[in-house]
Every structure is written in structure tokens, then in C-alpha cells.
Amino acid sequence: MVREQIHALSLKGLHDLSDLRFLLSLEDPDEIRYLAELASNVKNEHLSNKVHLRGLIEFSNLCSKDCLYCGIRKSNKKPLRFQLRQQEIIDAATFAFNNRYGSIVLQSGERSDREFTGFVCDVVRNIKSVTDGKLGITLSCGEQTRETYRNFFKAGAHRYLLRIETSDRELYSKLHPNNAHHSFETRLRCLEWLKETGYQVGTGVMVGLPFQTIDHLAADLLFIKSLDADMVGLGPYIEHSQTPLFKQREFLWPEQFRLSMTLKMIAILRIMMKDINIASATALQAIDGFGREKALKFGANIIMPSLTPKEHRKEYLLYEDKPCLDEDREECRACLEMRVKMVGDEIEYNSWGDSPHYTYRNL
Ligand code: SAH
């Protein structure tokens, strides 16, 4: 009976809050498995069983922001602050290129000073040049001016990730300091600028935040749809003891519940937005050793193996219990290949793995 209802909703298209609320509230394992099956079918039909890799280079934890949930927030004095040297980043990118990853993500804390934005442009240009323009580059460096986004684009970046974190203004204000440097409006404007610049734009949310409800998450799905995002990265919120939000931990959903809610979000999104790229977030693996593989089963098609030099990984803890801190690049590559095969998917090497959604949107 419920299965039929799930099936009917998936055919009807998911535009109503009440339908999304219903799907997010599923708790029976068989029903959740059925939702995953439908999402998997959509993925296979629109994207085949191909998984794309994005080598993740976390190149700096220097940050001017004080987001209340994040382990590398400015006021946290514990992490040793670092910025990789140009050559270290190029070496990591070259590893990705030589191992046929197809593309990389350059991620960092947020800075908007000229020294930083100029550095990012140089790095992007140099990576493009040493890889003959063949390595795809996604940036994830937070809020910037319209001009900076254009400069990054001109330098050769073609995708940008900026999670909205939550689409609810009020909840957003509970997760960030209330000042002009942490404004919901600015974040929205940045997403618009990214689109108009010509990037493939990615956004997403954290799932299981303090004060967050199923209604918030249902609204998040509609937000992502209305933004017409090309890529989505969403993952469970994981509390970090050196952040102010840690105080709210007793109000959190249990980790397994956050995990299963994240998986349901991914499956529903895949049914709603059939040809976008959906990342299987590393944070999933912090909760469950097979969290990322489960996300593939629920419709995700992107995995981001870490290429951050080992000695810096432990200083880039957005959340605690981050997995694979002491695995080197080579081990990580072999391990992933096996894991992806295990769920019946296949890594597509040497390809940018652009979101077909972006391609169609621009025809
Ligand atoms: N500074 C950049 C990118 C680094 S943060 C930016 O703000 O976009 C990348 C993502 O990590 C954030 O968007 C957030 O969704 C996620 N993140 C931060 N703290 C987290 C936590 N405690 N648990 C789970 N995800 C977290």
C-alpha cells in the first residue's frame, strides 16, 4: 500500500511539501529500500551506473568566517592554520590527472582578500596549463564578489560549490553569527552570481542540524529544485566539540537517523532532478563505514577521494571523526575502486563528468 503510494508520487513529480514530508518520514526499512530502488532506476536510466571522481584538495583552513557548526571557524584556536604551497597543490592535481580522475575540487576556508583570490586564480591557471586544459576544476571557496567569481571562471574553473546550508532564513540565523559577514541574503546572491557567470553550480544542505525539522528539509529540496542546481552535495551534520553549536548536541537526532534522513534526501532529489550530479558526502562515512556506498545505492553518482596531503588533513576537520585521515592517495584510490564495484557501479575515468543537466540547460 505504502509502496504504491511511493511509486505514484515518484511518477507524479514531487512538487508539494506534503508529498516530500511523507517521503522523508518513511521509517520502515522495506519502504526506504523501495524508495532507494526507484532512485537507483532513475540514476541508471539517466546517467547509467557511472560514478565520477573529484579529487578533493583542501588547500587552506584559514577562514574569516565564524559559522557556529564548523571546526575550522575563525575563533577556533586549536587547528594549526595552513595554506598549501602552489607546488603542493599542483602535485596533488597532477596525481589526479595521472590517475585519470578527470577532475578535482579545490576547497578552502573563506577569505576574500586579494592575496587569496589572486592565489586561487594562479593555482587554477597553473593546473590548467600543466594538464593541458584536460583536468576539470571545481572550486569551493565560499562567498566571493561577482568580480572574483568571474576571475576564477576566466582562470579556468568551471564548477562551483556553495551550499546554502539550510534554505530557512530563521534556521540559518541560528547557525551563524548575526552580522553582515554571515548573511543569508549574500549567500543567495552569490548563488545567483555563480549561475550568471556560467558555472555549473552546486549547492546543498546539512541534514540533522539542531533545530531542524522534516519541514525544513522538505523546503530545502524545493529550494534546490527552484535554484535549478546542476550539482548537489548534502551530508549529515556532525557536531564538533570546539564549536558553539556543540552545546545543542542533546537535541540532535541520533546519528543513524541523520544518516538515513540524508539517504532519503538523496533518493528524493534523484527522483526530482534526474540528471544532476549528486555527491556522496564524505561525512556519511564518518557515521557509517559504508555510508558513501549506501549513498550510491540511493542515487548519488559522485565521490570525492581526498588528495589533501596527510599531514594537513587533521587540521581540516570541519567535523569530528573524519574518515581516512591516514590513508595515502594511492591506498585511497584502490579502496574506492573496490567499494564502487561492490555496489554494482563503475568509475568513469578520464572524464569531467559534467552534469547532463547543465548541458541541457545551456542548449
Ligand atoms: N568555506 C567553504 C567550503 C568549506 S566548508 C564554504 O563555506 O563553502 C564545506 C562544507 O562543509 C560546508 O558547506 C558545510 O556544509 C560542511 N560542514 C561544515 N561543518 C560541518 C559539520 N560540523 N558537519 C557536517 N558538515 C559540515
Side-chain angles (χ1 to χ4, degrees):
M1 175 61 198
V2 174
R3 274 175 163 245
E4 279 149 29
Q5 223 174 329
I6 301 172
H7 188 232
L9 286 181
S10 76
L11 293 179
K12 175 180 132 199
L14 299 167
H15 313 289
D16 297 334
L17 268 183
S18 60
D19 293 343
L20 296 171
R21 203 183 289 136
F22 165 77
L23 293 176
L24 289 170
S25 305
L26 295 174
E27 285 193 23
D28 179 296
D30 277 340
E31 291 163 9
I32 296 178
R33 246 192 308 277
Y34 184 60
L35 179 68
E37 201 180 301
L38 294 179
S40 230
N41 292 343
V42 172
K43 170 171 137 178
N44 284 330
E45 191 181 320
H46 290 262
L47 307 164
S48 77
N49 67 341
K50 296 285 188 287
V51 170
H52 301 284
L53 300 182
R54 312 277 184 249
L56 175 63
I57 308 172
E58 295 145 326
F59 68 91
S60 169
N61 64 358
L62 288 157
C63 192
S64 66
K65 288 245 174 139
D66 243 338
C67 306
L68 305 181
Y69 45 83
C70 183
I72 63 166
R73 65 197 300 269
K74 183 181 175 192
S75 299
N76 186 6
K77 303 290 175 228
K78 285 270 172 66
L80 284 177
R81 299 290 165 168
F82 71 90
Q83 176 163 316
L84 298 186
R85 288 189 307 274
Q86 201 48 262
Q87 194 53 48
E88 290 175 296
I89 305 177
I90 292 173
D91 288 348
T94 305
F95 175 91
F97 185 60
N98 291 342
N99 283 278
R100 305 177 296 136
Y101 279 16
S103 44
I104 55 168
V105 177
L106 295 174
Q107 191 182 80
S108 67
E110 190 173 307
R111 281 172 59 194
S112 48
D113 53 281
R114 272 182 186 279
E115 194 189 329
F116 177 77
T117 57
F119 177 81
V120 174
C121 284
D122 285 347
V123 168
V124 170
R125 232 178 272 116
N126 287 336
I127 292 174
K128 279 286 168 191
S129 131
V130 298
T131 62
D132 239 351
K134 289 190 184 124
L135 192 66
I137 302 181
T138 305
L139 291 179
S140 172
C141 305
E143 293 164 22
Q144 302 292 343
T145 63
R146 190 187 220 160
E147 189 196 354
T148 299
Y149 284 144
R150 284 188 185 149
N151 292 339
F152 289 168
F153 191 77
K154 270 188 247 148
H158 67 127
R159 308 186 184 114
Y160 204 102
L161 294 173
L162 184 71
R163 288 186 178 179
I164 189 72
E165 315 298 359
T166 171
S167 62
D168 187 88
R169 214 179 239 93
E170 203 181 312
L171 179 55
Y172 193 92
S173 73
K174 291 183 180 155
L175 308 174
H176 298 92
N178 282 313
N179 58 34
H181 197 36
H182 296 81
S183 134
F184 183 72
E185 271 63 39
T186 305
R187 208 143 181 104
L188 284 179
R189 204 174 326 119
C190 283
L191 285 166
E192 289 307 323
W193 286 342
L194 288 166
K195 276 206 121 166
E196 79 171 33
T197 307
Y199 287 99
Q200 292 175 53
V201 178
T203 193
V205 296
M206 284 178 280
V207 178
L209 287 159
F211 321 112
Q212 194 178 42
T213 63
I214 285 191
D215 277 12
H216 286 134
L217 292 170
D220 288 341
L221 291 169
L222 292 179
F223 170 85
I224 294 170
K225 172 89 183 169
S226 71
L227 183 75
D228 203 20
D230 304 300
M231 325 181 283
V232 171
L234 50 83
Y237 163 70
I238 300 173
E239 63 275 30
H240 191 304
S241 60
Q242 292 149 23
T243 63
L245 215 58
F246 192 66
K247 282 202 284 293
Q248 310 295 338
R249 67 189 178 284
E250 59 192 290
F251 304 112
L252 294 174
W253 290 332
E255 279 198 341
Q256 285 305 318
F257 194 82
R258 280 180 254 165
L259 172 75
S260 108
M261 192 62 77
T262 306
L263 294 173
K264 283 185 273 186
M265 289 282 284
I266 290 175
I268 298 168
L269 204 57
R270 173 56 72 208
I271 295 169
M272 290 170 78
M273 302 183 77
K274 304 185 183 332
D275 56 359
I276 61 169
N277 280 341
I278 304 181
S280 167
T282 312
L284 284 162
Q285 209 188 337
I287 294 185
D288 177 329
F290 291 105
R292 288 190 301 179
E293 293 72 28
K294 287 182 182 166
L296 296 179
K297 290 284 230 184
F298 277 71
N301 68 322
I302 303 285
I303 289 201
M304 295 162 60
S306 177
L307 297 180
T308 309
K310 250 198 285 188
E311 63 274 27
H312 296 297
R313 280 187 210 179
K314 60 181 186 314
E315 311 300 346
Y316 198 90
L317 299 185
L318 308 172
Y319 48 85
E320 286 171 328
D321 299 327
K322 199 171 166 192
C324 310
L325 283 184
D326 52 8
E327 229 175 53
D328 66 30
R329 291 170 184 162
E330 202 57 65
E331 284 169 318
C332 181
R333 193 186 62 79
C335 166
L336 261 185
E337 173 124 3
M338 189 238 350
R339 284 166 174 261
V340 169
K341 266 206 191 111
M342 206 170 67
V343 291
D345 282 352
E346 210 182 308
I347 295 177
E348 178 144 289
Y349 287 105
N350 265 345
S351 125
W352 282 7
D354 281 347
S355 133
H357 187 76
Y358 175 83
T359 315
Y360 294 133
R361 179 157 87 66
N362 287 281
L363 283 180

